[in-house]
Amino acid sequence: MNNQATAITISAVAALIGDVARANILTALMSGKALTAGELAHHAGVCAPTTSGHLAKLVDGALVSVEKQGRHRYYRLASASVAVAFESLSDLAAVGPKRHQPTGPKDQAMRQARTCYDHMAGRLAVALTDSLVARGLIMIEDRAGLVTDEGRQFFCDFGIDLDPKPGSARPLCRTCLDWSERRVHLGGRLGAQLLAQSLERHWVRPVKDTRTLTITRDGERGFQELFGIPIESMTRLR
């Protein structure tokens, strides 16, 4: 089967994302959480029937997946590739026409730390990536990353399993261009597991109904002691 992108298929995907309500739906799903149609209607700013129509198009276009649990249907981004593409579009929008040009998230807390689908973004994530490179735990070239032998031992001690799950083709170490910081942060399976471990250790805490992550006091200590991240990169805004 030929899955090569063409001008027609690219324009079809672009048209799906190009609607404001659908872009708002995708933005909400960038939190990594599965949300109901009612919750997404609130984020989209349109009525429930209109939201259902938008979701049907996103599901049909393989940008969003849906699963049924009991009486409810939950929607999430179809894959990490969708999240990477949407984050890249956010970066392009930041250098787009000046009348529409954002400078990244205006919310300072969101600039500090947020989710980018299933991994961390923002000032914290960039500082974390810089630290891992400086300590020789990972190497980054272009958009690809490599975990060194020393890094494998470090991540194993941190509770991260670097072996892929059966059937998974997702890269271990990839980078995303951070929308607000304009530098790279870690994605891939490694980035996802760093977020999972940070949540499990209560180093970061999700802010309800947003992509923002609050860095806890334990997190400030943990990121500083284990990763050598300067405290000024993490000081909570008050």
Side-chain angles (χ1 to χ4, degrees):
M1 184 172 63
N2 185 4
N3 292 323
Q4 184 176 359
T6 66
I8 293 175
T9 57
I10 291 171
S11 63
V13 172
L16 282 173
I17 298 174
D19 179 89
V20 173
R22 290 196 289 271
N24 284 334
I25 288 172
L26 293 171
T27 298
L29 294 176
M30 283 290 286
S31 68
K33 297 178 181 177
L35 300 174
T36 66
E39 291 169 327
L40 290 170
H42 170 73
H43 288 286
V46 295
C47 65
T50 302
T51 298
S52 295
H54 286 310
L55 287 170
K57 291 179 180 179
L58 290 170
V59 170
D60 185 62
L63 297 183
V64 169
S65 62
V66 58
E67 57 187 61
K68 188 175 181 180
Q69 291 186 8
R71 296 180 300 171
H72 299 286
R73 290 178 180 270
Y74 291 90
Y75 297 85
R76 63 172 69 248
L77 294 185
S79 68
S81 296
V82 177
V84 170
F86 195 74
E87 188 76 0
S88 296
L89 282 174
S90 298
D91 178 62
L92 284 176
V95 294
K98 291 187 180 299
R99 66 183 182 278
H100 300 304
Q101 188 181 99
T103 57
K106 293 183 178 179
D107 186 328
Q108 288 300 314
M110 191 174 175
R111 282 180 174 273
Q112 182 187 43
R114 64 184 184 276
T115 54
C116 177
Y117 186 50
D118 63 355
H119 57 272
M120 289 184 283
R123 190 179 305 119
L124 171 65
V126 170
L128 181 61
T129 303
D130 287 346
S131 172
L132 295 174
V133 171
R135 295 172 61 183
L137 302 179
I138 63 172
M139 298 172 63
I140 292 177
E141 184 174 346
D142 296 327
R143 298 296 294 273
L146 172 70
V147 179
T148 65
D149 290 340
E150 184 179 356
R152 285 186 172 274
Q153 185 60 56
F154 174 86
F155 293 123
C156 180
D157 293 341
F158 190 59
I160 289 178
D161 181 6
L162 298 179
D163 294 329
K165 294 182 180 179
S168 173
R170 187 178 185 187
L172 170 62
C173 188
R174 293 284 290 176
T175 63
C176 290
L177 181 60
D178 196 282
W179 175 26
S180 59
E181 297 303 301
R182 309 309 300 277
R183 298 178 58 214
V184 297
H185 63 245
L186 279 182
R189 289 188 285 111
L190 179 57
Q193 290 206 54
L194 282 169
L195 172 57
Q197 278 293 321
S198 298
L199 290 167
E200 185 173 326
R201 292 167 181 251
H202 305 291
W203 287 6
V204 294
R205 183 176 62 247
V207 177
K208 186 178 179 181
D209 296 330
T210 75
R211 292 171 57 189
T212 302
L213 294 169
T214 296
I215 305 171
T216 66
R217 294 290 191 188
D218 286 343
E220 290 176 1
R221 288 191 294 268
F223 285 120
Q224 184 178 36
E225 292 172 4
L226 196 58
F227 293 93
I229 298 177
I231 192 69
E232 57 266 23
S233 296
M234 302 179 289
T235 303
R236 292 177 294 178
L237 301 171
R238 297 176 176 85

